[in-house]
Amino acid sequence: MSDAEAQPPQPPTPHMHEDPHENAYLAHHFDTPQQQFESGKLGMWMFLATEVLLFSGLFCVYAVYRASHPEVFEWAHRFLNVTLGGINTMVLITSSLAMAWAVRAAQLGQQRLLAICLSLTLLGGFSFLGIKYIEYKNKWEEGLLWAGKYKPTAEALEHLNATGHGEAAELGVATTDASSAAGHGGAVASAPAAAVTASAPAPVVIDGVKVEHSQIAPAPPGPQGMRLVERAGLLHLMPERAPRELWIFFSIYFLMTGLHALHVIAGLGAISWVLARSLKGQFGPAYYTPVDLVGLYWHLVDVVWIFLFPLLYLIH
Amino acid sequence: MAEQVKLPNEGVYAGVEIRGHEVGHIVPVRVLIGVWLALVVLTAVTVSVTWVDLGGALNLWVAMGIATIKATLVLLYFMHLRYDHPVNAIFFIFALFFVALFIGGILTDVQQPQYQSELIRGYAPEMNR
């Protein structure tokens, strides 16, 4: 340091390379364009790793609540529109294709194709947000929002309960007579007690005394408003009506899709910036790093949605 | 770095003279289209497989398996990981390893009976009020 201080100040020469024939975009602290490109790319991948860890927190929340409240997820996902979610998946995948093609166009110096591909990527992103807006608007009108804002309208709840019965019938699940009667009539009955009365109409012998069924005291109140459902040889208790804890699902839904939508918005901003620069002819085979790195970000947003779609919309 | 691609059009781009020492790997169009087609088909498969009851948690595993295949295709080809220096993939795989650690560690605890409130809820009906 003392040597440097002793010398007269040098004129700053950032971003200038000694060889005038070299790449004008090569920063002075890199030896070759390849080294510069790969360093930038490595930095982007480190950022993407932190993005994965950010979303993993929400995936943890999802895993915990789905493991401890499976019935909430089975009920609530019926409110999500699989058609709109599926269209959005296709839109985002196609947008990713346009982005990957834009990188190729930049690498080959195809300026017109680069601008077209970036515009198509933007179109895909805006279409995604538009469809998401329709879905959010429907949820808003039905009162199916997060935590304290979860105040479903009467129509929404009725629709929910109706679709619930419909799906149970479709799946051909076993529903015990008495327990469904309890659900509809509001009488206190338990599924196990129902099974006993249905399968053993004959008098039973207790301590050597023959006892009629009418003499047996009713079983203690069992799962109220619950259905005994057989799935894959296992018995599950499914609520007859929409569980109160549905707000858990909608909180998670808005948290995960909302954070994802914020990423889409940020990606649209970055792609617009790249498009503006590409229209000035700033990218070509020798320098296209911003196109490539913004593309990586956009693909990661796509990858996150690839997992969100089945986890939220396609619950069996 | 993968093999250098011979550019058909050397010349001046964006005011820069291209002399055949370009960076990065150029993905062929047929690979891009092929990956896109695979993604579309896999999306259709994952939607239609929900109409079938595979029993137990198998539906979830199938859906997650298809999503993982789709994500891998995007990472390998759209995001160039297959052609890149392996250090990028190593960073990313480490992040995925930590995610698996988080979720796996949490689920081993959640599956303990004391957290399965649905097992006791039916026998304490007032909890539902």
Side-chain angles (χ1 to χ4, degrees):
Chain A
M1 281 305 283
S2 57
D3 289 344
E5 281 163 9
Q7 289 170 0
Q10 300 284 322
T13 55
H15 310 298
M16 290 290 288
H17 212 259
E18 286 164 12
D19 184 355
H21 296 293
E22 276 295 338
N23 188 332
Y25 288 101
L26 183 62
H28 72 284
H29 51 282
F30 290 111
D31 288 333
T32 62
Q34 177 135 335
Q35 188 196 32
Q36 173 172 279
F37 173 71
E38 289 191 353
S39 303
K41 211 166 179 178
L42 180 61
M44 191 65 199
W45 276 103
M46 291 192 74
F47 171 64
L48 295 187
T50 66
E51 287 280 81
V52 167
L53 294 177
L54 165 68
F55 275 101
S56 79
L58 295 184
F59 281 107
C60 277
V61 169
Y62 178 94
V64 167
Y65 277 100
R66 182 156 177 189
S68 46
H69 301 275
E71 77 286 354
V72 167
F73 283 74
E74 283 193 35
W75 272 92
H77 87 276
R78 296 178 189 128
F79 261 108
L80 300 188
N81 191 324
V82 177
T83 312
L84 288 183
I87 290 172
N88 251 355
T89 308
M90 297 290 190
V91 164
L92 219 49
I93 286 172
T94 310
S95 179
S96 253
L97 171 70
M99 190 68 231
W101 210 321
V103 171
R104 183 192 146 85
Q107 286 173 318
L108 291 173
Q110 300 161 332
Q111 300 293 341
R112 222 175 101 80
L113 185 62
L114 170 62
I116 291 172
C117 284
L118 287 174
S119 305
L120 287 175
T121 311
L122 279 179
L123 181 68
F126 279 115
S127 309
F128 180 90
L129 286 181
I131 294 171
K132 204 80 221 141
Y133 169 75
I134 296 170
E135 290 191 74
Y136 277 5
K137 190 162 160 282
N138 290 342
K139 295 286 152 295
W140 185 276
E141 284 167 359
E142 289 173 323
L144 300 172
L145 299 176
W146 52 89
K149 294 269 182 194
Y150 174 74
K151 292 181 177 94
T153 58
E155 297 82 28
L157 264 189
E158 199 176 310
H159 170 70
L160 185 61
N161 288 320
T163 51
H165 286 298
E167 183 164 290
E170 256 174 47
L171 293 172
V173 292
T175 306
T176 54
D177 294 325
S179 63
S180 61
H184 292 302
V188 176
S190 70
V196 168
T197 49
S199 59
V204 288
V205 178
I206 296 174
D207 292 338
V209 183
K210 202 184 246 182
V211 181
E212 292 294 330
H213 272 274
S214 55
Q215 293 174 282
I216 302 174
Q224 203 170 22
M226 300 287 249
R227 257 183 318 167
L228 208 54
V229 170
E230 191 181 345
R231 269 199 195 157
L234 291 171
L235 288 176
H236 297 274
L237 286 174
M238 275 296 286
E240 275 282 330
R241 307 191 65 76
R244 271 191 338 160
E245 302 86 353
L246 281 189
W247 62 267
I248 292 173
F249 178 86
F250 290 105
S251 296
I252 291 173
Y253 168 78
F254 279 104
L255 204 60
M256 295 185 97
T257 59
L259 187 69
H260 179 264
L262 283 182
H263 278 77
V264 172
I265 292 168
L268 287 175
I271 295 167
S272 305
W273 170 69
V274 167
L275 176 61
R277 286 190 64 180
S278 80
L279 291 176
K280 293 179 194 161
Q282 292 186 353
F283 302 123
Y287 180 71
Y288 61 93
T289 312
V291 188
D292 200 64
L293 300 193
V294 167
L296 288 179
Y297 179 80
W298 191 248
H299 295 311
L300 188 87
V301 172
D302 185 25
V303 165
V304 170
W305 181 259
I306 282 174
F307 281 96
L308 284 185
F309 175 57
L311 284 177
L312 294 173
Y313 290 77
L314 300 179
I315 299 170
H316 184 78
Chain B
M1 203 58 223
E3 79 280 9
Q4 289 291 326
V5 172
K6 180 91 173 69
L7 282 171
N9 43 3
E10 295 195 351
V12 178
Y13 296 102
V16 178
E17 189 188 358
I18 303 310
R19 295 179 303 179
H21 59 258
E22 283 60 48
V23 293
H25 176 270
I26 301 177
V27 186
V29 168
R30 63 171 198 285
V31 173
L32 292 179
I33 300 275
V35 167
W36 177 76
L37 275 177
L39 292 174
V40 169
V41 169
L42 285 172
T43 304
V45 169
T46 196
V47 170
S48 44
V49 87
T50 47
W51 302 332
V52 186
D53 186 9
L54 299 174
L58 197 56
N59 275 92
L60 179 63
W61 286 111
V62 168
M64 286 298 95
I66 293 173
T68 306
I69 294 171
K70 287 167 71 181
T72 309
L73 284 175
V74 172
L75 286 159
L76 284 181
Y77 296 99
F78 283 0
M79 298 173 86
H80 297 203
L81 264 192
R82 193 184 157 184
Y83 314 105
D84 272 355
H85 193 283
V87 73
N88 294 342
I90 290 169
F91 268 125
F92 199 72
I93 290 167
F94 260 90
L96 294 181
F97 171 72
F98 287 129
V99 173
L101 208 60
F102 295 158
I103 294 179
I106 280 178
L107 281 184
T108 49
D109 191 40
V110 167
Q111 281 161 358
Q112 298 299 311
Q114 68 265 27
Y115 292 114
Q116 295 188 351
S117 55
E118 76 274 10
L119 290 184
I120 53 172
R121 182 192 293 129
Y123 294 93
E126 289 311 311
M127 286 177 69
N128 269 337
R129 296 282 164 196

